Amino acid sequence: MLRLNLSTEPRWLDLGHGVRLFVEPLTTAIMLAARSDPTIVAAAGNTETSASNDDVARIVAKAVARIVVKDWDGVGDEDGEPLPLTPEGIDALLELWPIFEAFQTNYIAGALILDAEKNA
């Protein structure tokens, strides 16, 4: 049975290590917008060096996060001072393996699993 969460309200997503992201619900419109991200277009269009599945996953996660993340908590500089949310900060945060993996598993995977089920 497919269970739909029809909430359109943003929610806090706990990524562990004291990090939380305030994210919009993942929708088709967001995934389509992410496809237009220049980094994804460049990776898809580069036939000389095709990106690995891991590279594509990282690129897509960052593109989606830059769209959906509206706030964060638990992210600071080397002195522990809270950092403001920026696209560059989101990219840097998702370069940390445990954070990337939690974002992939707890946010993006639900949409991908649903997409895989419809294509089965």
Side-chain angles (χ1 to χ4, degrees):
M1 172 191 299
L2 176 64
R3 296 179 184 176
L4 292 177
N5 179 352
L6 300 177
S7 173
T8 58
E9 297 299 316
R11 64 180 174 95
W12 283 101
L13 177 68
D14 185 1
L15 299 180
H17 307 280
V19 175
R20 298 184 316 152
L21 302 178
F22 194 61
V23 295
E24 294 180 4
L26 187 56
T27 64
T28 300
I30 288 169
M31 290 302 285
L32 292 173
R35 282 187 188 175
S36 300
D37 186 281
T39 56
I40 293 176
V41 172
N46 190 347
T47 56
E48 291 179 17
T49 58
S50 60
S52 71
N53 286 343
D54 290 340
D55 289 336
V56 170
R58 185 174 47 80
I59 292 166
V60 169
K62 288 179 179 182
V64 168
R66 286 190 299 267
I67 296 169
V68 303
V69 175
K70 301 305 175 194
D71 198 3
W72 63 11
D73 185 42
V75 180
D77 64 16
E78 55 274 354
D79 296 324
E81 295 298 319
L83 286 173
L85 179 67
T86 64
E88 298 79 18
I90 291 170
D91 286 354
L93 182 66
L94 289 178
E95 281 297 324
L96 301 173
W97 174 254
I99 300 298
F100 166 79
E101 188 69 14
F103 185 75
Q104 233 2 39
T105 302
N106 297 320
Y107 187 74
I108 293 179
L112 298 179
I113 290 168
L114 182 58
D115 189 53
E117 286 177 357
K118 83 171 180 201
N119 289 325

